[in-house]
Amino acid sequence: MAVVDFSAPSRLPRFHIIDLLSGRQRALLVAHGRGSDPDHSGWLEHFSNAPGSQASSAGAYLTGDLYIGKHGRSRRLMGLDPGNSNAEARAIVIHAASYVTPALAAEVGKLGRSEGCLAVAQDNLEEILATLGSGRLIYVDKV
């Protein structure tokens, strides 16, 4: 499973993949939606489930199928809570993005922003897609 902790700034690893059997975890960079950070401060300010909001949505997600779209290999996400019930209609997915890199986080102090998707570094995409196969749980929130 994975936990995305959007209470941290985007320059820090916030996508925590957890192996429930061994207890091991790995933390990776992940972007939040531009609608959640309108001033591009690097901090998620709020969530939205509204179509067109370009914001990240909080709650539990179930991972779905892989597909190839405008961002290359991606994994569909299904929202399981009222706060993310529009995830499929909004095409909220896991995909790689050029604006998510350790170098950018170090140089600029923040990542770029998605349109609400869980955008990750290209170097981490295959690991994430393989580890979080179809039917896995991802929980997104801000403490």
Side-chain angles (χ1 to χ4, degrees):
M1 77 165 289
V3 174
V4 178
D5 180 6
F6 280 139
S7 63
S10 67
R11 72 178 180 273
L12 298 178
R14 312 181 287 179
F15 194 111
H16 304 274
I17 298 175
I18 304 158
D19 181 328
L20 297 176
L21 294 176
S22 70
R24 288 180 290 164
Q25 69 97 25
R26 178 158 154 77
L28 305 165
L29 293 171
V30 63
H32 53 257
R34 71 182 73 248
S36 291
D37 179 9
D39 296 328
H40 199 195
S41 66
W43 292 86
L44 183 137
E45 295 176 19
H46 65 272
F47 292 108
S48 177
N49 191 32
S53 67
Q54 298 184 330
S56 298
S57 298
Y61 291 85
L62 185 65
T63 57
D65 295 332
L66 286 174
Y67 72 100
I68 298 176
K70 69 179 183 178
H71 298 288
R73 284 174 46 85
S74 305
R75 186 169 298 283
R76 298 184 196 286
L77 297 174
M78 294 159 276
L80 302 176
D81 292 320
N84 64 7
S85 60
N86 290 324
E88 288 179 276
R90 294 179 57 209
I92 302 300
V93 302
I94 299 171
H95 67 77
S98 61
Y99 52 82
V100 181
T101 67
L104 183 63
E107 181 181 328
V108 181
K110 60 187 173 187
L111 301 177
R113 298 165 298 164
S114 70
E115 293 182 1
C117 292
L118 298 177
V120 299
Q122 183 67 53
D123 289 348
N124 300 131
L125 180 67
E126 289 308 316
E127 173 190 359
I128 292 168
L129 295 180
T131 305
L132 297 174
S134 184
R136 301 299 173 117
L137 179 69
I138 298 176
Y139 188 74
V140 175
D141 210 339
K142 178 180 177 180
V143 179

